[in-house]
Amino acid sequence: MANWLARIFGSRNQRLVGQYSGIVKKINAFEAGLQGLSDADLAAKTTQFREQLAAGKTLDDVLPEAFAVVREASRRTLGLRHFDVQLIGGMVLHQGKISEMRTGEGKTLVATLPAYLNALPGKARTSSRSTTTSRAATPSGWGRSTASSA
């Protein structure tokens, strides 16, 4: 019975990705407008977000534009543009969930999204932890799992 329902309504993960995809579309809609801003105008967005939060908006309300601002700042300063899947990873982290990513998929870049968003209220300390597990050659043999944290 559960399989039948999952085929009609999708799995829980498929439904969540569908919800996140709608937000990604909103984020992408800001991209062209933000590219036309000067560096000073882009930086002023932080003040605008803080004013919106003080006026009663929530972090989730400002998330699409805030993520778009981080994406644009990253493109300008690092030459790296967040991919849509990385935006989804940032939303997952913002919700306090675990986002599993493989080596090279941009965990550090993803972490900039919720770090910026959650720092906007200026009340809490933002912390992000990235752990990479890989296989390495060891004196006792190949393939022993090692973990490193950044």
Side-chain angles (χ1 to χ4, degrees):
M1 169 81 86
N3 250 354
W4 180 77
L5 291 173
R7 276 186 257 146
I8 292 174
F9 299 109
S11 70
R12 183 178 191 293
N13 282 341
Q14 289 169 329
R15 290 189 309 271
L16 286 173
V17 169
Q19 291 172 356
Y20 293 138
S21 295
I23 299 169
V24 167
K25 288 178 185 175
K26 291 178 184 178
I27 295 167
N28 289 338
F30 286 106
E31 191 165 18
L34 293 174
Q35 287 177 349
L37 295 178
S38 68
D39 288 348
D41 289 340
L42 188 66
K45 286 289 188 181
T46 299
T47 303
Q48 291 174 12
F49 295 141
R50 288 185 172 153
E51 290 169 355
Q52 290 174 14
L53 293 170
K57 285 198 173 184
T58 66
L59 289 175
D60 289 334
D61 293 334
V62 300
L63 184 147
E65 190 174 7
F67 274 28
V69 166
V70 173
R71 177 192 256 180
E72 179 60 20
S74 172
R75 189 188 64 76
R76 291 182 189 191
T77 59
L78 303 173
L80 299 173
R81 180 187 173 277
H82 295 78
F83 292 107
D84 289 354
V85 70
Q86 292 171 317
L87 298 174
I88 292 172
M91 287 182 261
V92 169
L93 292 176
H94 166 64
Q95 294 174 342
K97 298 176 183 171
I98 295 172
S99 177
E100 184 176 339
M101 299 175 74
R102 294 182 179 193
T103 300
E105 289 185 340
K107 290 181 289 294
T108 304
L109 193 61
V110 167
T112 60
L113 297 161
Y116 174 76
L117 180 67
N118 289 289
L120 286 173
K123 297 177 185 174
R125 208 180 86 189
T126 302
S127 176
S128 178
R129 188 94 170 139
S130 173
T131 301
T132 302
T133 303
S134 59
R135 302 264 175 208
T138 62
S140 61
W142 289 91
R144 177 174 282 174
S145 180
T146 61
S148 65
S149 293

